Structures are given as structure tokens and as C-alpha cells.
Amino acid sequence: MTATAASIFFVVLLALGDPKRRRANALPNSLGKAKRHAYLMGAIIPGMLIAISGDAAMWLIWFGGCAVAGWLIALWLASPSSQRS
């Protein structure tokens, strides 16, 4: 659960700093390329450590949790269709 929570934290940071979403909402681009790559590594490393440990069940739980959380984060940050042009 800790690895999933850590990855989800970095996925939220990535989503909040997404350049395309920020441009579409007329927000300043606050994340640089290096910071986005660091957040990406922060999201991936817990899963890599689980995979290296060889625990397939724990890796599937991590992967599934991150996938579901990713969809929920995308829904949370999606702009309503009535605001789109």
C-alpha cells in the first residue's frame, strides 16, 4: 500500500503540472522537463522495486492501484464539457 500511495502522489504531481492541460486552462507552465522526469521516476521506482523483489501479487496490486488512481485523477482534473469550445 505504501508503494502505491507513493506512486499515486507522484502521478498527482504529474497531472497537476501537465503542460497541455495547463495551456488549455490558460495557466502558466510551472514544471520543467527535468522536474517532470523526476516525478515520472518517483512514480515508477516503487513498482520497479516490487518487481525486483519478485512478489508478483504485490506488483499486480501496485499496478492495479496506480491504474485505477490514474483514471480517477484524470476524471477529477477533466474540465466539464460545457466549458469546452
Side-chain angles (χ1 to χ4, degrees):
M1 293 299 281
T2 305
T4 305
S7 292
I8 291 170
F9 172 74
F10 285 108
V11 170
V12 168
L13 292 176
L14 278 168
L16 290 174
D18 179 41
K20 186 175 181 181
R21 186 187 64 79
R22 293 182 70 80
R23 273 193 312 270
N25 293 324
L27 296 170
N29 190 6
S30 63
L31 291 181
K33 191 174 185 179
K35 196 177 256 190
R36 283 194 316 265
H37 287 198
Y39 290 166
L40 176 65
M41 292 307 295
I44 292 174
I45 287 175
M48 289 173 56
L49 294 175
I50 293 170
I52 290 170
S53 75
D55 191 346
M58 188 166 52
W59 187 85
L60 286 172
I61 291 169
W62 170 84
F63 186 77
C66 289
V68 169
W71 278 104
L72 293 174
I73 292 165
L75 288 173
W76 171 52
L77 292 175
S79 57
S81 59
S82 62
Q83 290 181 355
R84 295 182 188 157
S85 304

